[in-house]
Amino acid sequence: MGAVACAETDMDMTLENLERHWMPFTNNREFKREPRLFVRASGMHYWTATGRKVLDGSSGLFTSAAGHCRPEIATAVAQQLQTLDFTPSFMRGHPGAFALADGVAALTPPGLDHVFFCNSGSEAVDTAMKIALAYHLARNEGQRSYFVSRERAYHGVNIGGTALSGMVRNREAFGALMPAILHLRHTLLPENRLTRGLGRTGAELADDLSRFVNLVGEKRIAAVFVEPIAGSTGVLVPPRGYLERLREISTRYGILLVFDEVICGFGRTGEPFAATSFGVTPDIITMAKALTNGAQPMGAVAVRDSIYRTVVDAAPDGAPEFFHGYTYSAHPAACAAGLATLEIYRSEQLFAKGRELSGYFLDAMFALQDLPAVSDVRGFGMLAGIEIKPGKAPGVRGGELQAKLFDRGLHVKTTGDVAIMAPAFIASRADIDLMGSMLREAIAEY
């Protein structure tokens, strides 16, 4: 596979020059004392400013499932920018947006065939919340104002998604962002420790949704948001039967079931979406990240036909049906990147390749459970979490581990004390072996 080198910079990386950029989800003081910078990428690897090669164990940030700097995507984006650089999405459009919507709808479960574009997973979640409210209002059930999420959930960082969040550190500084948010218990149970795939215990936790119906009323909950696999919090694979029970309760009480597939979408579980892998069809799916292979910012929301039709048909003639959107919704360059990405997934059969590699990958990750510092290993498809025992405070060892692995030549995403592994689907068995050996060496030091 060919590669396009990502541009490098001659900027002087002094503390003064680094200080102006306020970095997200980063210990800015520590980073700027000892910056760990990438300047180039290709295939399975990044390169640092000193020319050191770093194996990518987390597909960037779960974004680059087809590997980095794919020339097909770069060429498509460049050609698009030279032809049509921007089109307003309000009352105007361009062919690429409709073509990409068709491409996405071909991958979603049957019936979820209307796609609303935005610019990130966070925007996709807030968009889905607005769609749910608009849908119920159009059905004359505007009293449905409650949303349900889960403990340890991550649904982005916009106001709605932060309110849904069940990760304490993501919300504690921001107060009560939205009223009427309820949280199901999380599904990380000690009985399922070191279980590969779906846990045997915990399906009954879905009954919390029925309890909330009894608490606030049968027609007060608009939607329940769940990640099929809770990724950012440390890879929480659902217990067997849990998602099915959520589906049944949601249907019984007219609640929309929303799957946040920003991480799981586009092959991470072996199928285009985790909904297909787990055999449970939601009413709405949010997505982003691997939609464009990370080459352009983009998110999307796929909805059932009946939701789209209800909102559209309820509006008066001559007026927009849904007063929502972004300046960069369905940006031409992002659509070009998305179309090129979907073609790579199709032509190289990358979802199937990931599915075939999954067993070998999970073997390598679960082999680490013999290390004294490892407290749990969880995984499904091409996604795994290796949790190490906490040190002097929760999360300290996780941060140290990420730095140790970077210095050894492996990039991983960590949350708390969990190393989250999500290799690109182009990975070789040798790549997986190297990831396993570097993880083993680093964790063995504890």
Side-chain angles (χ1 to χ4, degrees):
M1 181 186 73
V4 174
C6 298
E8 298 188 27
T9 177
D10 295 326
M11 179 179 175
D12 181 17
M13 291 296 149
T14 63
L15 180 60
E16 180 182 0
N17 288 333
L18 294 170
E19 189 58 29
R20 294 182 185 88
H21 175 34
W22 191 345
M23 300 174 66
F25 279 111
T26 299
N27 182 331
N28 278 255
R29 292 163 295 182
E30 180 180 301
F31 180 93
K32 290 164 186 179
R33 284 193 297 267
E34 188 179 355
R36 292 177 166 86
L37 298 164
F38 292 137
V39 298
R40 185 165 67 88
S42 178
M44 287 294 299
H45 295 89
Y46 285 109
W47 278 262
T48 69
T50 61
R52 195 163 57 85
K53 195 174 181 181
V54 178
L55 181 61
D56 185 0
S58 296
S59 298
L61 196 59
F62 318 112
T63 50
S64 307
H68 291 286
C69 289
R70 295 296 301 250
E72 306 95 318
I73 302 173
T75 298
V77 171
Q79 290 177 347
Q80 182 62 62
L81 289 173
Q82 292 166 3
T83 306
L84 179 65
D85 60 339
F86 177 79
T87 302
S89 288
F90 306 169
M91 308 303 290
R92 299 291 181 269
H94 64 94
F98 298 93
L100 184 58
D102 286 345
V104 170
L107 298 175
T108 53
L112 277 76
D113 49 10
H114 294 276
V115 182
F116 190 103
F117 289 113
C118 51
N119 308 292
S120 67
S122 295
E123 290 184 2
V125 168
D126 277 34
T127 298
M129 295 177 79
K130 281 185 164 182
I131 289 173
L133 293 172
Y135 167 72
H136 289 302
L137 183 62
R139 297 172 58 244
N140 297 314
E141 291 192 359
Q143 78 280 1
R144 288 186 182 266
S145 58
Y146 279 87
F147 288 98
V148 177
S149 180
R150 291 191 292 185
E151 297 170 347
R152 296 194 63 152
Y154 178 79
H155 293 297
V157 294
N158 287 355
I159 292 296
T162 303
L164 291 175
S165 177
M167 297 174 70
V168 175
R169 297 300 299 274
N170 288 4
R171 52 185 292 147
E172 63 182 350
F174 309 115
L177 297 168
M178 287 180 63
I181 304 290
L182 302 167
H183 287 83
L184 309 166
R185 286 172 290 176
H186 66 72
T187 60
L188 183 60
L189 301 177
E191 298 92 325
N192 294 330
R193 179 178 170 271
L194 297 172
T195 295
R196 180 164 164 166
L198 281 66
R200 296 175 183 161
T201 302
E204 69 282 357
L205 292 170
D207 292 337
D208 283 358
L209 184 56
S210 293
R211 292 176 52 234
F212 291 155
V213 169
N214 293 332
L215 175 67
V216 303
E218 284 196 12
K219 293 188 176 182
R220 296 299 308 280
I221 298 175
V224 53
F225 281 71
V226 294
E227 302 155 275
I229 299 175
S232 291
T233 193
V235 188
L236 311 189
V237 182
R240 198 173 305 280
Y242 175 84
L243 296 176
E244 291 88 340
R245 194 173 296 193
L246 276 182
R247 175 70 278 178
E248 187 274 324
I249 297 169
S250 298
T251 301
R252 186 192 317 160
Y253 293 110
I255 300 167
L256 296 182
L257 177 61
V258 183
F259 277 5
D260 183 342
E261 297 225 26
V262 170
I263 288 178
C264 292
F266 301 100
R268 186 57 56 187
T269 62
E271 298 290 345
F273 289 92
T276 303
S277 295
F278 296 136
V280 177
T281 301
D283 302 296
I284 299 175
I285 292 178
T286 62
M287 64 194 79
K289 294 188 183 290
L291 170 57
T292 64
N293 202 48
Q296 290 281 293
M298 192 173 220
V301 182
V303 305
R304 275 197 292 110
D305 178 71
S306 59
I307 295 173
Y308 173 79
R309 289 260 64 96
T310 297
V311 173
V312 169
D313 293 345
D317 291 341
E321 302 94 357
F322 185 45
F323 283 82
H324 176 71
Y326 302 95
T327 298
Y328 299 108
S329 288
H331 188 282
C335 289
L339 287 166
T341 297
L342 295 190
E343 175 56 25
I344 291 171
Y345 293 152
R346 185 200 65 78
S347 63
E348 298 185 10
Q349 298 184 310
L350 287 189
F351 299 165
K353 287 183 179 178
R355 189 163 60 246
E356 292 165 5
L357 187 60
S358 170
Y360 192 84
F361 164 68
L362 292 175
D363 283 346
M365 297 301 101
F366 276 84
L368 299 169
Q369 66 183 281
D370 67 331
L371 292 169
V374 171
S375 62
D376 197 7
V377 183
R378 304 178 286 272
F380 187 97
M382 288 290 284
L383 183 63
I386 298 92
E387 185 163 359
I388 59 175
K389 297 173 183 176
K392 57 186 178 183
V396 172
R397 277 187 170 179
E400 292 174 351
L401 179 62
Q402 187 181 63
K404 285 175 182 285
L405 290 168
F406 177 91
D407 293 340
R408 280 177 162 80
L410 178 63
H411 163 71
V412 302
K413 165 78 169 73
T414 59
T415 295
D417 293 308
V418 183
I420 304 174
M421 304 300 295
F425 308 149
I426 63 167
S428 67
R429 290 194 170 201
D431 292 327
I432 301 300
D433 291 342
L434 187 55
M435 290 175 197
S437 65
M438 285 194 279
L439 282 164
R440 178 171 290 278
E441 290 173 7
I443 296 172
E445 294 182 359
Y446 293 108

